[in-house]
Amino acid sequence: MLILASDLPHFLTEILSADNPFSTSKLIILFLLIFIETAGIVTGFIPGDTILTTAGGLAGTHHNFGELMAYIAVFSLASFLGDAVNYWFGAFLMKQISKIPFLKRHLQGGMLDKLATDFHPKRWLLFVVLGRFLPFIRVVVPLLARRLALPFVSYIRMAAFASVLWSAVIVSAGYFIGHLNIPSDMLLIIVVGIAIVFILALRVPKFRQAIVNLFVRK
């Protein structure tokens, strides 16, 4: 059985197959995938949320609470370390990325510049936590933190909380789904549908401005 399998590359469907036993090597591979997604800036195409949901679904299928806790711990640590790396090396990587017109257009300017111009200092925790739950946006959070000189110690505490919360919520949701008799194709349609709606919403200027308004001074 696979949870959301058709939304994952073939090698991931093999790793996250119910026929593939729970093992240390599986945890290491999943750790590296989430770490790279968070730390790589341009690796947001890695389906992090789907990986977490699928792993949680497998633990639910196995009715194994220990497996659930292992996934939560591994994903929390991977995203936390990825955020730390992104904070320190993000500025250097962004400088290199800015030399590529397509990436510069998508990673600089627009929403990021608006946030950087008048960011509300009391909204950092909300920004870090909310950003952790949004694909692509999550890689911008440490970049903005570094750009606005948020102390590393302050940022990393928030990142630790956000990483644990994200991992616990998404993996537990998958664990619950694993107990239900819902066809994987139907789950895929739901997840893809939500992603499409969010992407289309981000293209609406008023929606983007509403997000920015959550974090800027009034």
Side-chain angles (χ1 to χ4, degrees):
M1 175 185 177
L2 293 176
I3 307 297
L4 304 179
S6 56
D7 195 33
L8 297 171
H10 177 69
F11 82 97
L12 272 178
T13 64
E14 293 297 325
I15 294 172
L16 292 171
S17 169
D19 298 327
N20 193 332
F22 180 73
S23 64
T24 301
S25 59
K26 176 186 286 189
L27 289 177
I28 292 174
I29 293 173
L30 295 177
F31 170 89
L32 291 174
L33 284 171
I34 298 304
F35 173 77
I36 292 171
E37 183 219 10
T38 304
I41 298 181
V42 294
T43 52
F45 59 86
I46 295 176
D49 297 298
T50 303
I51 291 173
L52 267 66
T53 304
T54 305
L58 289 176
T61 301
H62 300 154
H63 301 283
N64 190 327
F65 186 74
E67 185 176 344
L68 168 70
M69 297 307 296
Y71 283 133
I72 290 176
V74 165
F75 292 138
S76 296
L77 181 61
S79 61
F80 168 73
L81 294 178
D83 282 338
V85 170
N86 207 342
Y87 179 95
W88 287 111
F89 296 102
F92 168 76
L93 292 177
M94 284 295 290
K95 183 177 180 180
Q96 307 308 312
I97 290 170
S98 66
K99 299 176 182 178
I100 305 175
F102 174 80
L103 294 177
K104 179 179 180 180
R105 185 167 61 252
H106 285 79
L107 293 177
Q108 292 185 334
M111 187 181 294
L112 184 58
D113 281 343
K114 291 178 182 178
L115 287 170
T117 300
D118 201 22
F119 191 88
H120 198 303
K122 294 184 178 180
R123 304 289 170 82
W124 271 116
L125 182 59
L126 175 63
F127 184 63
V128 173
V129 171
L130 185 59
R132 169 45 52 186
F133 282 83
L134 301 177
F136 296 101
I137 301 298
R138 66 176 58 118
V139 300
V140 172
V141 174
L143 299 179
L144 187 63
R146 180 71 184 276
R147 181 172 174 177
L148 296 183
L150 178 69
F152 178 72
V153 173
S154 298
Y155 168 71
I156 211 62
R157 287 174 179 170
M158 299 178 197
F161 173 74
S163 293
V164 173
L165 182 64
W166 173 67
S167 180
V169 169
I170 302 299
V171 176
S172 295
Y175 185 81
F176 174 74
I177 290 172
H179 284 81
L180 303 179
N181 187 23
I182 299 177
S184 59
D185 289 343
M186 181 60 67
L187 291 174
L188 174 61
I189 292 173
I190 294 173
V191 172
V192 172
I194 293 174
I196 291 175
V197 170
F198 179 73
I199 292 172
L200 291 177
L202 281 178
R203 296 179 64 86
V204 179
K206 290 185 178 180
F207 182 76
R208 291 200 303 271
Q209 188 58 49
I211 293 178
V212 172
N213 288 340
L214 291 173
F215 309 108
V216 299
R217 300 174 190 273
K218 301 299 183 180

